[in-house]
Amino acid sequence: MKKFSIFLSVIVIIGFVLANQTNAATSLTYSVFFPPSHGQAKAADAWAKEIAKRTGGKVKVTVIPGGTLTPAEQNFDGVTKGISDIGMSCFAYTGGRFPVMEALDLPLGYPNGQVATRVANDFYLKMKPKELAGVKVLYLHAHGPGLLHTIKPVKKLEDLRGMKIRSTGLSKKVVSALGGVPVSMPQGETYEALQKGVAEGTFTPIETLKGWKQAEVIKSTTDCRSVGYTTTMFVVMNLKKWNALPPDVQRVFEQVSAEWIDVHGKTWDDLDREGRNFTLSLKNQIIPLSKAENARWKAAVKPVINDYIKTAEGKGIQGRAAVQEAESLIKKYSKKYK
């Protein structure tokens, strides 16, 4: 009788443990390179909360902002190696690693963040690049037109000649094509570089003037949106962790991620407006280019696009098709998101 009682107790304990394991939440880490105060970090946090809500608490995603878990340039590898379960950063921070996706960052004249973000996601689905086969791509987003922000005003190409301009990825080639000297660095280092004169300007969306406080260390913005590039950002998940999720949870991830495409796109445009207002409040100037000057800038960056096509096709990648697809999608979504 005593042995039976002990046996029964063991069975009850095992059942209790298994029940708790079944009901326990899956905990995931999400490394984000944006600082916690940035609108895109807040959008990531809202996504994580929505995942928890729609899975009924089955999944808890802990957002770790500011690049504290993995630095921006190590974010993607951090996901593949399991340092973080999910990661958000820029393809451009690891130049040459994502040759197909690089086409999106060319100076194709993106009008706003919603267009750039929609273009990025459709482009990925159409091109299906092998370079992203090792992760689960949840969604992508991309900022509004990259503009030139400088300490000294730039009204024409001659003003830019020889200036040290912070840039990343393909925007480094844009700077060179326009006559500037590219200085490669992530956003987190740009404020100090401008403050100390290591850089004399930065090519970046206008939102960074508030989001990264760069309006405090520049004096002028050149509105060169005719050559507006974007920087495409990924939200990817460790493939092993993804495959371990039950199908119903995977469906929640995909549904919420599809909805968050427009959340991020709209956030980019809201942040651009805030950045514009912030820099003007500090008495900084915004300089529009004349029609003739715009044409000069577009002609100057054309070789960057041609060079991408030539280099990509030399590697067996359909560079021309990639550029044409991006241009076609920009036209499509520019009609919807004005």
Side-chain angles (χ1 to χ4, degrees), residues 96-104 106 123 127-132 305-323:
R97 176 82 174 271
F98 306 100
V100 176
M101 300 307 293
E102 279 183 11
L104 290 171
L106 290 165
F123 179 90
M127 302 301 293
K128 296 181 175 63
K130 294 179 181 178
E131 60 213 46
L132 293 175
I305 299 170
N306 292 337
D307 182 63
Y308 167 79
I309 293 171
K310 182 180 178 180
T311 301
E313 294 192 341
K315 296 176 180 178
I317 295 167
Q318 295 182 312
R320 189 172 301 280
V323 170

Side-chain angles (χ1 to χ4, degrees), residues 9 18 22-23 45-46 89-90 93 146 163 199 217 233-234 254 258 263 268 270 276 285 289 291 315:
S9 297
L18 290 175
T22 302
N23 294 327
D45 192 60
S89 191
C90 306
Y93 286 165
M163 289 180 67
V217 286
M233 290 158 228
F234 55 78
E254 290 180 333
V263 170
W268 279 121
D270 290 344
R276 180 184 179 87
Q285 62 179 327
L289 294 179
K291 185 176 180 180
K315 296 176 180 178

Side-chain angles (χ1 to χ4, degrees), residues 163-227:
M163 289 180 67
K164 295 176 291 184
I165 307 297
R166 173 266 172 199
S167 47
T168 60
L170 281 169
S171 68
K172 291 186 292 186
K173 294 186 177 182
V174 174
V175 169
S176 294
L178 295 173
V181 178
V183 180
S184 181
M185 68 181 68
Q187 287 291 8
E189 300 173 16
T190 305
Y191 185 103
E192 186 176 2
L194 290 166
Q195 191 177 44
K196 293 183 175 180
V198 174
E200 299 167 271
T202 176
F203 239 119
T204 186
I206 201 168
E207 66 86 16
T208 60
L209 299 188
K210 182 178 181 182
W212 297 82
K213 306 299 182 185
Q214 292 169 14
E216 297 174 354
V217 286
I218 62 101
K219 294 296 181 184
S220 177
T221 291
T222 304
D223 192 343
C224 51
R225 65 185 60 232
S226 60
V227 297

Side-chain angles (χ1 to χ4, degrees), residues 246-267:
D248 62 321
V249 171
Q250 288 182 342
R251 283 194 295 273
V252 170
F253 269 77
E254 290 180 333
Q255 289 165 0
V256 175
S257 295
E259 293 171 20
W260 249 246
I261 291 171
D262 279 339
V263 170
H264 283 275
K266 183 179 183 302
T267 298

Side-chain angles (χ1 to χ4, degrees), residues 111-115 144 264-274:
N112 57 56
Q114 284 184 305
V115 168
H264 283 275
K266 183 179 183 302
T267 298
W268 279 121
D269 290 338
D270 290 344
L271 292 172
D272 272 354
R273 280 188 289 273
E274 290 177 14

Side-chain angles (χ1 to χ4, degrees), residues 47 86 121 136-140 235-237 242 253-254 257-258 261:
W47 175 90
I86 306 167
N121 284 277
K136 168 62 180 178
V137 176
L138 295 171
Y139 62 96
L140 309 174
V235 179
V236 298
M237 185 171 181
W242 169 258
F253 269 77
E254 290 180 333
S257 295
I261 291 171

